[in-house]
Amino acid sequence: GGARMDPPAAPDQDACAADDDDDADVAASPRMQQVLPISPPLHSRRAGLQEARHPKWLFRKMLQDEDADDEWRFRRDRATAALARMQQLASGLRARAAAAERDVEKAEALVADSLVDIKWAVANRERRCDISAEEYKARCREAEVRLAEVETECAQRVKDAQALFDQERAHTSAVEAVLANERRRADAAAAHVEEAAAESRRLIEARGARAEE
């Protein structure tokens, strides 16, 4: 049979080197193209090339081209599957990234709210501490005033007690002097009464003796 064949081209080694190279089309250029008439003699200008190839050579060439086409389809399918896988992975990563961004936004909102609460709590605590400090200072001043008053009152009471003690001691001394004087008078009166009683007994005994005579 007759056939027209383009000049042979070497396979694209860079395009078929690895599955992850999906930047360029790995399809091989057309190898052979059948034209009419397909049988010799090929002497018509409208028939294309004026030469005939041996069937064995054509068969081997067709097998090589089919193998190249099969290899290209295989690599194309692999590249398509890898692209689909990468697209699916990219879609999943985009979804995860979007979810992570939403989580980050929520976390930032929570952190902002927590920061506002913390600042409010700090300001409130500082205000309460200032108020407590002022109250403590006021109470300390009041306590100092009351302490001075108590010390003054205690000193006055000590003076009053000392004066009362001195007065009572003087009164006690006077009472003791009066008591001693009264004791002396009582002793003298008792002695006089005793003498009078003895004299009365003596007179009674004397009268009794005269009456017996």
Side-chain angles (χ1 to χ4, degrees), residues 190-205:
H192 180 70
V193 169
E194 185 66 28
E195 291 177 356
E199 183 64 22
S200 295
R201 286 193 298 270
R202 186 176 62 79
L203 291 174
I204 292 171
E205 289 176 356

Side-chain angles (χ1 to χ4, degrees), residues 159-175:
K159 290 181 181 180
D160 295 340
Q162 185 67 34
L164 182 61
F165 176 73
D166 295 337
Q167 183 179 0
E168 290 295 331
R169 185 169 58 182
H171 181 69
T172 301
S173 299
V175 170

Side-chain angles (χ1 to χ4, degrees), residues 138-170:
R139 289 181 180 180
C140 288
R141 290 192 294 268
E142 183 180 358
E144 290 176 355
V145 172
R146 293 184 64 182
L147 178 62
E149 293 177 355
V150 170
E151 289 178 351
T152 303
E153 185 177 358
C154 288
Q156 184 63 35
R157 288 187 179 183
V158 169
K159 290 181 181 180
D160 295 340
Q162 185 67 34
L164 182 61
F165 176 73
D166 295 337
Q167 183 179 0
E168 290 295 331
R169 185 169 58 182

